Amino acid sequence: MNNNFINFLKLNNLDVEIHDFDEFTHTAQQAATALGCDVSQIAKSLIFKSASGKPILVIASGSNRVDTSKIAKLLGESIDKAGADFAQAAELLPINW
């Protein structure tokens, strides 16, 4: 688990329960299966790249799709899905595929 992410949660007084698995759970469904819960109870993290090159981290319910046009409208610039290299360089999340 990325310590920067955990520290961010703590600094913002976000009380969450984080599970670290021995095996990777690449999808919200895999995480739900590993925990024995519904996929809607999983928080998934998605990393995007803004048109200006900034990393955008979106955390959403595992059962919901993210509407990138709404995010772009809120930011005032377009966004695209970030590749693994960009996400690692931004130090948002470790990518261990």
Side-chain angles (χ1 to χ4, degrees), residues 37-57:
C37 67
D38 188 78
V39 72
S40 65
Q41 295 174 281
I42 299 297
K44 62 183 172 185
S45 55
L46 305 166
I47 302 171
F48 298 91
K49 183 178 181 180
S50 71
S52 60
K54 295 178 185 171
I56 308 298
L57 174 62

Side-chain angles (χ1 to χ4, degrees), residues 9 14 19 23 26-27 33 37 40 43 47 50-51 57 59 75 78 87 92 94:
L9 295 173
L14 298 170
H19 295 270
E23 296 181 21
H26 298 286
T27 67
T33 300
C37 67
S40 65
I47 302 171
S50 71
L57 174 62
I59 300 176
L75 295 174
S78 63
L92 287 172

